[in-house]
Amino acid sequence: MSKRKFNVAVVGATGAVGEQIIGLLEKRDFPVEKLKFLSSARSAGTVLRFKGQEITVEEAGPDSFEGIDIALFSAGGDVSKALAPHAVRHGAVVIDNTNAFRMEETAPLVVPEVNEHMISKHQGIIANPNCSTIQMVAALKPLYDRFGISRIIVSTYQAVSGAGAKAIDEMLRQSKDVLEGREVTPDILPVGSLPVKYQIAFNAVPQIDKFQDNGYTLEEMKMVRETKKIFGDDSIQVTATCVRIPVVYGHSESVYVELKNDYELEEIRDLLSNAPGITLVDDPASQSYPLATDAAGKNDVFVGRLRRDLGNPRGLNLWIVSDNLLKGAAWNAVQIAEIIAAQE
Amino acid sequence: MSKRKFNVAVVGATGAVGEQIIGLLEKRDFPVEKLKFLSSARSAGTVLRFKGQEITVEEAGPDSFEGIDIALFSAGGDVSKALAPHAVRHGAVVIDNTNAFRMEETAPLVVPEVNEHMISKHQGIIANPNCSTIQMVAALKPLYDRFGISRIIVSTYQAVSGAGAKAIDEMLRQSKDVLEGREVTPDILPVGSLPVKYQIAFNAVPQIDKFQDNGYTLEEMKMVRETKKIFGDDSIQVTATCVRIPVVYGHSESVYVELKNDYELEEIRDLLSNAPGITLVDDPASQSYPLATDAAGKNDVFVGRLRRDLGNPRGLNLWIVSDNLLKGAAWNAVQIAEIIAAQE
């Protein structure tokens, strides 16, 4: 990494992902010159700590980005759409955690383990993919390079933290209500802005984000579209079922992948053991496999339960787990920032 | 149903499934002449109620079955292996909820909606399939008949009640421990008889039953083998990933099925709407889809989230939910008993 230091803005500093970004900038000793914490008017005035220093959160506006080199956005798609262009106008590189620019042609959609080379092609905005996509493509990259991938069939087991701090509170409150015999009154999940709410405590809810015309949810379509864009390969067939379950941190995914060529399981094991950002946890004899509770708080993507499809010689099952707020959001964004910093 | 009445024995009467069987025999007004509740020595002496009458649970032994017409077993595979032959020797028809005889050629493996005709072919023992298999094949049967099925890729979201009453207690206790900030000490799950235990509260554990040499768990291999046997079709390719999640009652399944012929989604909808034992819950506009909390306590299999694979014109995604103790165990067994009773 160069000796240069950077003026960094964190937009959505008081949110679940913002908090993780700030923690990572500190822990990774990111070369920060000046740090600016931005938020909505509601949270402005909050005082946050960074390396022992107190920083007051300011309200984000079009002129918040003067002198900023890198702006990390995670305050929702509307905020990104409204303010990211202003950050770019002031000369900042925007790393955006929302869905606002992911499918825009001018915005690279980056998972460093997969397509780091796209970072330098940005025109001001780099998009951070959806949490459920990031961990899957990071784990599949070594298989893609070696064997090719013809199709992916994925079912997710997603943590409530993906829907924000309020959804965590709701799930824990509902769990307490059920345990103490009280009626549950769902308030936020599955989708805050939609009228129908369902209990998430002790349940599995097959809806994350709004339904699209084709019957898939937006979360499912993100997995389909983003996977193709990140690999730069429209020929990969992807179908997804996205489900919210009562877990706080860590998305788990049951992934079935059909490779383009024959494979040996030992070779897959070797590839994953040596892949950057991947930890292989796969030993049936000792009941070792990835678990959300183990992945929580860690940056890596954990992969296990490797099994050959007994019918299709090119079919493979994997169980992929990662902390949705870290590799699924904050860590992937900070990784990109580190790469930008190293390139300057 | 004929006017004849039957002497019925329930083996494992004090267990989670036994309790449901007794409840169904009462609720369905099964033509009972004499009812016998059997259990291990540990639970013998327990007094249970049936239609206002008190019945004392007796210890099950080789001679417990004299005069019994129908014996419903759900006390574990070892008990079935030891005692079912004795029940048959005494002239009873055994309906066995365990894994003891499912793959034996002489034992029909029956889900009435799929292969009711096999019931009359029994040689004393009829096997009740595994919970996760039953709800899947019941939902897929109309599709199989109309289009044919070439392969099934299933990921499950299974309730802790499938591991028995103690696993429910453990999950609820762990949830309380987490909510109140206490350390969690796993005791039973994922597999009582294996050394390594994991927290199930606020987690997703991709192990149900023991690992086999091929890397699949026994639960996963049950889904593979039983599906072929129930449909009487070895050509169906099945691959499964079975996962325990913190739900009390109701297994959910994300099922991807590849049909042998082209289909229209409307036709699938019509077939499932008219299928016996199936309730279609599938309206994205009103956020309607099956949920474990809704299926709990009901006999039907609930199906929704019907979506075409966007790449493969013969691929279809479904979300299948049912109460694992009812259609997944007790209700399927009592259904078989009712058919036997009606045939006499």
Side-chain angles (χ1 to χ4, degrees):
Chain A
M1 208 172 280
S2 69
K3 287 276 153 50
R4 203 196 133 183
K5 292 193 168 188
F6 298 83
N7 295 331
V8 177
V10 178
V11 185
T14 59
V17 174
E19 192 189 344
Q20 299 295 331
I21 288 177
I22 294 166
L24 284 166
L25 291 174
E26 182 168 306
K27 202 159 109 187
R28 301 280 305 178
D29 205 13
F30 191 85
V32 169
E33 179 69 45
K34 208 182 74 183
L35 194 57
K36 205 167 187 180
F37 292 163
L38 299 166
S39 76
S40 64
R42 198 171 34 79
S43 300
T46 309
V47 176
L48 300 175
R49 295 190 73 84
F50 185 82
K51 296 192 176 179
Q53 193 192 340
E54 295 197 330
I55 300 179
T56 302
V57 179
E58 301 167 46
E59 184 180 350
D63 295 322
S64 302
F65 302 92
E66 213 178 311
I68 294 295
D69 302 305
I70 298 172
L72 296 140
F73 275 73
S74 61
D78 291 344
V79 173
S80 291
K81 272 183 199 155
L83 297 183
H86 291 287
V88 174
R89 174 171 60 86
H90 281 101
V93 178
V94 168
I95 303 169
D96 184 37
N97 259 302
T98 78
N99 194 38
F101 305 105
R102 286 181 188 147
M103 296 313 295
E104 296 221 346
E105 223 170 297
T106 54
L109 186 64
V110 176
V111 177
E113 289 82 356
V114 183
N115 61 344
E116 183 180 331
H117 65 280
M118 291 300 292
I119 293 176
S120 59
K121 303 207 169 127
H122 76 81
Q123 297 177 29
I125 297 174
I126 297 164
N128 215 37
N130 190 45
C131 45
S132 50
T133 313
I134 291 177
Q135 66 183 65
M136 183 174 80
V137 298
L140 294 183
K141 168 67 170 171
L143 282 54
Y144 179 84
D145 285 347
R146 172 69 183 78
F147 302 103
I149 289 177
S150 49
R151 73 157 121 179
I152 299 166
I153 296 163
V154 52
S155 298
T156 70
Y157 303 67
Q158 293 183 234
V160 292
S161 54
K166 281 184 187 165
I168 301 178
D169 292 345
E170 163 164 68
M171 195 270 280
L172 297 176
R173 180 175 43 74
Q174 288 182 359
S175 302
K176 205 152 180 281
D177 287 344
V178 171
L179 289 170
E180 293 172 3
R182 283 189 299 273
E183 183 109 353
V184 169
T185 47
D187 182 37
I188 297 170
L189 292 171
V191 184
S193 61
L194 291 182
V196 182
K197 310 294 182 185
Y198 293 115
Q199 175 181 326
I200 181 62
F202 308 113
N203 208 3
V205 179
Q207 177 180 13
I208 299 181
D209 218 321
K210 297 180 185 171
F211 282 105
Q212 312 296 292
D213 288 342
N214 61 7
Y216 286 81
T217 60
L218 181 55
E219 184 83 358
E220 288 160 355
M221 289 311 298
K222 285 177 185 174
M223 293 195 81
V224 174
R225 293 187 197 120
E226 293 179 12
T227 299
K228 292 170 193 251
K229 178 167 175 178
I230 296 164
F231 279 115
D233 183 348
D234 268 344
S235 78
I236 305 176
Q237 287 184 20
V238 184
T239 193
T241 301
C242 290
V243 182
R244 189 81 71 189
I245 63 167
V247 164
V248 183
Y249 302 107
H251 287 352
S252 302
E253 296 178 343
S254 169
V255 175
Y256 177 90
V257 59
E258 196 172 272
L259 303 176
K260 282 193 174 161
N261 290 285
D262 293 344
Y263 71 88
E264 294 297 330
L265 207 51
E266 266 321 301
E267 207 176 344
I268 304 272
R269 247 181 259 282
D270 286 348
L271 287 168
L272 289 170
S273 297
N274 297 311
I278 305 295
T279 299
L280 184 67
V281 185
D282 187 37
D283 180 28
S286 64
Q287 292 177 260
S288 297
Y289 34 75
L291 291 169
T293 46
D294 291 337
K298 302 195 180 105
N299 285 347
D300 259 16
V301 174
F302 298 85
V303 186
R305 296 297 331 269
L306 300 181
R307 289 154 293 151
R308 273 193 169 285
D309 184 343
L310 302 172
N312 175 1
R314 293 182 180 175
L316 171 73
N317 287 297
L318 311 94
W319 179 249
I320 302 171
V321 182
S322 195
D323 188 322
N324 51 301
L325 296 186
L326 290 175
K327 183 59 185 168
W331 169 233
N332 199 70
V334 171
Q335 256 183 310
I336 295 171
E338 286 187 354
I339 293 163
I340 292 171
Q343 286 172 348
E344 295 266 329
Chain B
M1 210 172 283
S2 70
K3 287 278 151 52
R4 205 198 130 183
K5 291 193 168 184
F6 298 83
N7 295 332
V8 177
V10 179
V11 185
T14 59
V17 174
E19 191 189 345
Q20 300 293 330
I21 288 177
I22 294 167
L24 283 166
L25 291 174
E26 181 169 306
K27 200 159 113 186
R28 302 278 307 175
D29 206 14
F30 191 85
V32 168
E33 180 68 43
K34 209 183 74 185
L35 195 55
K36 206 167 186 178
F37 292 163
L38 299 167
S39 75
S40 65
R42 197 169 37 80
S43 300
T46 310
V47 176
L48 299 175
R49 297 190 72 83
F50 185 81
K51 293 192 176 179
Q53 195 192 337
E54 294 195 332
I55 300 178
T56 303
V57 179
E58 299 167 45
E59 184 181 348
D63 295 323
S64 300
F65 303 94
E66 213 178 311
I68 294 297
D69 302 307
I70 297 172
L72 296 140
F73 276 72
S74 61
D78 291 344
V79 174
S80 290
K81 273 183 196 154
L83 297 182
H86 292 286
V88 173
R89 175 171 60 85
H90 280 104
V93 177
V94 168
I95 303 168
D96 184 36
N97 259 301
T98 79
N99 194 38
F101 305 105
R102 284 180 190 149
M103 296 315 294
E104 298 223 343
E105 222 171 295
T106 55
L109 186 66
V110 177
V111 177
E113 290 81 356
V114 181
N115 62 344
E116 182 180 331
H117 66 280
M118 293 301 292
I119 293 176
S120 59
K121 303 204 170 133
H122 75 81
Q123 296 176 32
I125 297 174
I126 297 164
N128 217 35
N130 189 45
C131 46
S132 49
T133 313
I134 292 177
Q135 66 184 64
M136 184 175 78
V137 298
L140 294 184
K141 168 67 170 168
L143 280 51
Y144 179 83
D145 287 348
R146 173 68 184 80
F147 302 102
I149 289 177
S150 50
R151 74 157 121 181
I152 299 167
I153 296 164
V154 53
S155 298
T156 71
Y157 302 68
Q158 295 185 232
V160 292
S161 54
K166 280 183 188 164
I168 301 177
D169 292 344
E170 164 165 64
M171 194 270 280
L172 296 176
R173 179 175 44 74
Q174 287 181 1
S175 302
K176 207 154 174 282
D177 286 344
V178 172
L179 290 170
E180 293 172 4
R182 281 189 300 273
E183 183 111 348
V184 169
T185 48
D187 183 37
I188 297 168
L189 291 172
V191 184
S193 62
L194 291 183
V196 182
K197 313 293 182 183
Y198 293 116
Q199 174 181 327
I200 180 61
F202 307 113
N203 208 2
V205 179
Q207 177 180 14
I208 298 180
D209 218 320
K210 296 179 185 171
F211 282 104
Q212 311 295 290
D213 289 341
N214 61 8
Y216 287 81
T217 61
L218 182 56
E219 183 84 358
E220 288 160 355
M221 288 312 298
K222 286 177 184 174
M223 294 195 79
V224 173
R225 295 187 194 120
E226 294 180 13
T227 299
K228 292 171 192 253
K229 178 167 175 177
I230 297 164
F231 278 116
D233 183 349
D234 269 344
S235 78
I236 306 177
Q237 289 185 18
V238 184
T239 194
T241 301
C242 290
V243 181
R244 190 79 73 190
I245 63 166
V247 163
V248 183
Y249 302 108
H251 287 352
S252 302
E253 296 177 343
S254 170
V255 176
Y256 177 89
V257 59
E258 195 172 272
L259 303 175
K260 281 192 174 162
N261 290 285
D262 293 343
Y263 71 89
E264 293 296 330
L265 207 52
E266 264 322 302
E267 207 175 346
I268 305 273
R269 248 182 256 282
D270 286 349
L271 287 167
L272 290 169
S273 298
N274 296 310
I278 305 295
T279 300
L280 184 68
V281 185
D282 187 37
D283 180 28
S286 65
Q287 292 176 260
S288 296
Y289 36 74
L291 291 170
T293 46
D294 291 339
K298 303 198 179 101
N299 286 345
D300 260 16
V301 174
F302 298 84
V303 187
R305 296 294 332 268
L306 301 180
R307 287 153 293 151
R308 271 192 171 287
D309 183 343
L310 302 173
N312 176 359
R314 293 181 179 174
L316 171 71
N317 287 297
L318 311 94
W319 179 249
I320 302 172
V321 182
S322 194
D323 188 322
N324 52 301
L325 296 186
L326 291 174
K327 182 60 183 168
W331 169 233
N332 197 70
V334 170
Q335 254 184 313
I336 294 170
E338 286 187 354
I339 292 162
I340 292 170
Q343 285 172 348
E344 294 268 325

